[in-house]
């Protein structure tokens, strides 16, 4: 029997995936608007120092945690699928550029330099969020094995200071093939440096290892615990210090 809460019209406001996309858009707009509001008053030299301090606090206290949480949830799920792997690589490159701008803002020696960096970050952030909103989120909503509402709930958990579950064992034998890799990559992204989980599968996951090598070269460990003929167990870990 289907519960009333599970009944919805796909691709409408009642669709949980559509609601999740709208939720992320609201979070993005709040961040973008706040950064914009902080850069504009800084054009007034009398308030430049106070705004510089506010900009640094916002970027380190709100923007940086948002970028990290997005990587651990949305990017992690998308990085495990062939359809979205290159997109995630591009988004991570842009996120890294934003992180460098945050570092540059914190290290700025004067108000004018800080303002210039913040305005550059604002421009990059606008494009970055647009790509996430118009490309990544619809792709995740359509991606087999990626539950967008759950991923967005995980995003909010991290943004509120919580932590995600990190299971010690992931048994994918009962999961349809198309849904396995996104689930595994999402679990890997939750690992802290030096942590690992054991993957249980009904075949040698060599294709998965090739995907790990493409996505995380030098940053993961792969150790066979059991090698068939009916069950394969592989201990997959995040390097103690990412390459």
């Amino acid at each position: 029997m289907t519960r009333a809460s599970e009944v919805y019209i796909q691709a409408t406001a009642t669709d949980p995936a559509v609601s999740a996309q709208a939720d992320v858009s609201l979070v993005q707009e709040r961040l973008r608007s706040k950064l914009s509001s902080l850069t504009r008053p800084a054009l007034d030299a009398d308030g430049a120092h106070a705004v510089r301090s506010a900009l640094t606090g916002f970027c380190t206290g709100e923007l940086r945690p948002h970028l990290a949480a997005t990587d651990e949830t949305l990017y992690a799920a998308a990085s495990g699928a062939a359809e979205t792997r290159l997109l995630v690589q591009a988004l991570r490159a842009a996120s890294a550029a934003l992180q460098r701008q945050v570092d540059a803002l914190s290290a700025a020696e004067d108000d004018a330099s800080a303002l210039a960096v913040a305005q550059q970050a604002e421009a990059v952030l606008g494009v970055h969020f647009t790509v996430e909103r118009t490309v990544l989120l619809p792709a995740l909503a359509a991606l087999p094995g990626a539950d967008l509402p759950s991923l967005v709930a995980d995003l909010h958990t991290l943004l509120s200071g919580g932590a995600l579950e990190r299971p010690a064992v992931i048994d994918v034998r009962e999961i349809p093939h198309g849904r396995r890799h996104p689930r595994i990559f999402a679990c890997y992204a939750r690992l802290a440096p030096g942590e690992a989980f054991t993957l249980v599968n009904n075949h040698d996951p060599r294709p998965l290892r090739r995907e790990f090598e493409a996505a995380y070269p030098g940053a993961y460990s792969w150790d066979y615990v059991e090698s068939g003929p009916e069950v394969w167990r592989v201990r997959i870990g995040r390097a103690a210090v990412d390459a």
Side-chain angles (χ1 to χ4, degrees):
M1 181 176 179
T2 301
R3 297 194 302 270
S5 61
E6 295 176 338
V7 177
Y8 60 89
I9 301 174
Q10 193 170 19
T12 69
T14 62
D15 186 336
V18 173
S19 178
Q21 292 179 62
D23 190 354
V24 174
S25 296
L26 286 174
V27 174
Q28 291 178 338
E29 179 57 25
R30 182 188 65 79
L31 290 171
R32 190 203 61 77
S33 295
K34 187 168 183 179
L35 180 57
S36 179
S37 68
L38 288 172
T39 57
R40 286 173 183 157
L43 295 174
D44 179 1
D46 293 336
H49 183 72
V51 171
R52 178 189 177 193
S53 177
L55 278 168
T56 302
F58 166 75
C59 287
T60 57
E62 295 186 52
L63 180 56
R64 193 190 293 276
H66 176 84
L67 295 174
T70 301
D71 190 283
E72 188 172 347
T73 54
L74 305 182
Y75 292 3
S79 68
E83 304 96 308
T84 48
R85 188 176 303 118
L86 291 178
L87 171 62
V88 170
Q89 290 178 7
L91 286 169
R92 281 177 167 158
S95 181
L98 282 165
Q99 297 276 14
R100 289 192 295 271
Q101 288 175 319
V102 172
D103 292 337
L105 177 62
S106 301
E109 296 181 354
D110 55 66
D111 297 333
S113 298
L115 176 57
V117 171
Q119 290 172 335
Q120 292 171 3
E122 181 185 357
V124 174
L125 187 66
V127 175
H128 186 64
F129 279 169
T130 297
V131 175
E132 287 184 345
R133 184 174 61 254
T134 62
V135 185
L136 176 66
L137 294 179
L140 278 171
L143 187 66
D147 183 353
L148 184 57
S150 295
L151 291 171
V152 173
D154 287 346
L155 175 66
H156 281 292
T157 295
L158 292 175
L159 292 177
S160 63
L164 303 181
E165 292 184 1
R166 292 175 168 84
V169 177
I170 301 174
D171 190 338
V172 298
R173 288 175 293 181
E174 300 301 321
I175 300 175
H177 283 277
R179 300 183 178 182
R180 294 181 181 184
H181 290 197
R183 182 80 58 86
I184 294 166
F185 272 92
C187 290
Y188 173 81
R190 297 178 183 180
L191 297 176
E195 291 184 339
F197 63 86
T198 298
L199 169 67
V200 182
N201 207 344
N202 52 13
H203 66 271
D204 188 349
R206 286 177 295 179
L208 175 68
R209 185 172 190 177
R210 289 194 292 269
E211 292 181 7
F212 261 93
E213 189 60 33
Y216 300 104
Y220 74 98
S221 61
W222 183 282
D223 299 298
Y224 284 96
V225 179
E226 184 176 351
S227 300
E230 296 182 356
V231 177
W232 276 258
R233 300 178 191 273
V234 182
R235 186 168 176 80
I236 302 173
R238 182 183 289 275
V241 178
D242 282 347

